[in-house]
Amino acid sequence: MSKTVSFRLFSAWSLFFLLVLSWSQQSSSRELTLVSEGTPLTVLVLAEKPTTTAWYSAMELQHHIELISNAKINIVHENNPLPDGVRIFIGDTQFAHKQKIDPQTFDLEESLIRFIGNDIILIGRDQPAFAKPVYGTDKVLPGIHQYHKATLWASYNFLERYLGVHWYAPGEAGIAFSPTKTIRVTAKDLQHVPSMRAERTIYMPRLYADSENEFSKEECKMFALRWRYTDNYGICNHNVYSIWYKYYKPAKDPNKAKFFVESRPQYFAQGYKGKSASHLIALRTQYPNDPDLPPQLCNSNPEVIKHFAEEAVDIFQDRGTPGLGWHVGKMADCPWYYPIEPDDNLAFCQCPDCLNYFKNKQVDGQRATNYIHWDWISRIARCAAEQDSAVNIVSLAYHNTLKYPHGLELAPNVGVQLCIHPYDFWRSGSTESTGNNWYQEWIDAGEPKRRMVNIWTYMFSGSWYAVLVEKHQHFFPMFAHRHTGPLFKKFVRDGIAGWFGETSAEVRGVSFFHTQLETYIASQMAFDASQDSEQLINDFFKLYYGRAAAPMTKFYDLVEKAAWEETQYPKGKLVLNEAMNWGMIGTAERMKLLAGYVAEAEQLAVNDMEKSRLDSFRKGIWDPALKGRAAYEKKQLFRKRPVPEVQVAIMDDVQGDPLKIDWKKAAGPLEWKTIMGFPTNPGIHLKFAYDTKFFYLYYTEPVDTNQFKADPNFWSGDIIEMFFARTPERPYSQIAILPSGEMKAYAYYYENMVAYSGEISPHAVVKSEVQTDRWTLYIALPLDELIPNYKLQPGDSFHANIFRGSPGAIALSWSPVFDISFHELARMGKITLLPETGTTSGK
């Protein structure tokens, strides 16, 4: 084998051709028999001192050959006498060197399968680590991050391409193959370099088989290697928090507080004093209840640039402080990138210099975030390169920094990771989404030829939105398996060097099977884009579902077609809510067809493995969908009932004192029911009023207050809860009050398409009067704080609901929600603030 070139960043086309799988030309198609009728005819041969990767490769081969044939192959060392027959040499052996095969001359992740007579060599460049793994555990496995392990890739190629083994899920049930007592392989060499080599990782911190059961840690780590996870260089995520620990305030964690030097407020975003609760920031747990916590940094401060440049250089030169920064490892013959990415929010610095930064690039007066960000990153990169030319900086082209900064000269040592939503096109109402178009601008500008460009794909299905945004576990699945292969082939043609996949598996309780097939296809194509993705899909159904393959193929294809029916989505940026999930995609008609496919599949499945996989599918996907559809239909019946509406006339200003309101002129008393819509205590009176600055509520209830129960848990005793929103959806506020007058308040909002909540401190006035036979509340709420990020004005309409909770009793409400959750926003009543004094109305 000729010596391969040393590592370099390849151009798009040279990379594409190098990455194509190459079978060597041989005149013969002879076969070697590894197992004959259950009798092993081969041994697995390791060096006298094998690497950890070679050890693990041999163990994986031994395990899978035994699964296929029930024959256990011995693992031996080459310094011992070797038996006759087929010998499989694994890793950097003396036998390989005699054939003039030296893995140290291999390119990054290059692997080789070489047939020589009756011998087979599986080899690649491995990390010089030599501990023996404890197979079946997560101890002493080859590493994911900055770890050479190409011999393992040769072994997995051998299992997949020669023995027909595929890994579709964690655990033994996820391993698919055709059982046979005799194993023969065709002697054909295979030399392979992965299509994307900077990284191939999927964010799956935990994997759920169904809503309650997780795969084990050991199963997940083995699965990650089988899907060829690796992080060689260039991985990126949010990584700017060290500067807070050093120059904002001492952190709550004493291990972080020790890094504090002094407060330097000029380093941080200006204009956010007292506004911390309004912005997402990952450091909130380190600075709890700090109303001034800066959400971002000052992009125009040169000392901030110097801080991160020095941090990158220190870590590269092994001088970095443990606990500060991201200690990215190094790999021989690989470039080294340090991640710099701001916090995940859009609350940027408002200082004069930042406001004037790239003012000529503003569009419709909006901050030129893409120019500001990439200029900032380039200045950090140039500063770092002046100290050490081997240091590179990588950052995310994320949200509004994804738009290409035309005309800006990025530093040559800047890497880019493009973050796009190729599947959830409903966010923009079109498969030709803004994000995908912005991705193409980077490609058309030729950036992959100038620098490392990686991709970050959000592969969320409907599950991510249902659980994280809409807050419910039961939803219609959404697949994208047939769209994935062509998309990833394009990425490779475009010169994308690495891939990070974020999937619904990050969401607690969401089954891995929701994105199983598309992430499998993506992993396969990132590893080897020369494969036929349609063949991969066909193999999946045939091997994984066996006799049930045909109806399961129909199930998946119908779901994908439903999800990708573009005409059913309204135009404009959308959140995939429950109404879209069930009203447009998971319709009753489609559910009926799918139920037929599931029934047919379960009838066809005969062996235990097929039944086990269908059971996982049912528990993880189908049963939750059935529950979701049933709940949606039930809610639809209740939603047809009208919600209460009330018009509230403006009153003379009383400066926020609810006791001064003339409650005889207020709107009400308003009718109350149980949360399920039944009549309740007619003595409960609720009234609304407002003036130019405050919204007022009056609540009184005849009740034996001696029965009130105080509970250490704020939410478990007698309570009034109020919800307010501009429209019956997020953002909204929740205000809860106890008979003691104690109050808690929260805001619920979206930040970058994720639903968040945070405690707030509205300037409310609460007067609680507890008599032996009555509880009365007088409340004043500032109009500009009632709804997150909106200031109510006379003439506005908004939505609200009021609940009365009591231990051991069914809850009461102004607008029945027909659910046990008070957060059923669709049932909020409507309140209109009349701009003039006069008669109020409502019910």
Side-chain angles (χ1 to χ4, degrees), residues 658-659 663 697-699 765-769 776-780:
L659 297 179
W663 287 107
L697 295 94
Y698 166 83
Y699 173 87
V765 178
V766 177
K767 307 285 187 182
S768 179
E769 297 178 355
T776 303
L777 275 173
Y778 299 89
I779 305 168

Side-chain angles (χ1 to χ4, degrees), residues 284-306:
R284 196 176 303 286
T285 56
Q286 292 301 323
Y287 302 98
N289 304 316
D290 184 343
D292 302 328
L293 180 63
Q296 287 288 357
L297 296 166
C298 177
N299 293 118
S300 58
N301 191 303
E303 292 300 313
V304 174
I305 291 165
K306 183 180 178 182

Side-chain angles (χ1 to χ4, degrees), residues 44 58-68 71 73 135 159 172 175 222 226:
L44 304 172
M59 293 171 175
E60 282 280 67
L61 287 163
Q62 181 187 58
H63 178 70
H64 287 87
I65 290 173
E66 185 174 8
L67 285 178
I68 296 169
I73 308 299
Y135 191 71
L159 286 168
E172 294 293 281
I175 306 173
M222 295 174 74
R226 290 166 179 173

Side-chain angles (χ1 to χ4, degrees), residues 18 23 100 117 121 151 200 203 274 323 355-356 513 540 543 578 618 627 635 643 656 720 733 819 840:
L18 176 64
W23 290 86
K100 302 187 183 306
I121 294 174
T151 292
R200 297 183 304 278
Y203 182 60
L355 290 176
N356 287 320
F513 300 105
F540 166 77
L543 291 171
E578 186 186 34
R618 173 177 276 283
K627 291 177 182 177
K635 286 183 180 180
V643 298
I720 287 287
S733 61
D819 201 327
T840 59

Side-chain angles (χ1 to χ4, degrees), residues 385-426:
E386 289 174 0
Q387 301 173 57
D388 193 320
S389 60
V391 174
N392 303 282
I393 302 295
V394 60
S395 191
L396 303 180
Y398 172 59
H399 205 269
N400 50 8
T401 66
L402 176 59
K403 184 168 177 56
Y404 185 68
H406 291 280
L408 179 68
E409 185 176 348
L410 273 65
N413 60 327
V414 165
V416 179
Q417 187 151 31
L418 306 172
C419 303
I420 64 171
H421 293 251
Y423 300 111
D424 49 356
F425 51 83
W426 50 83

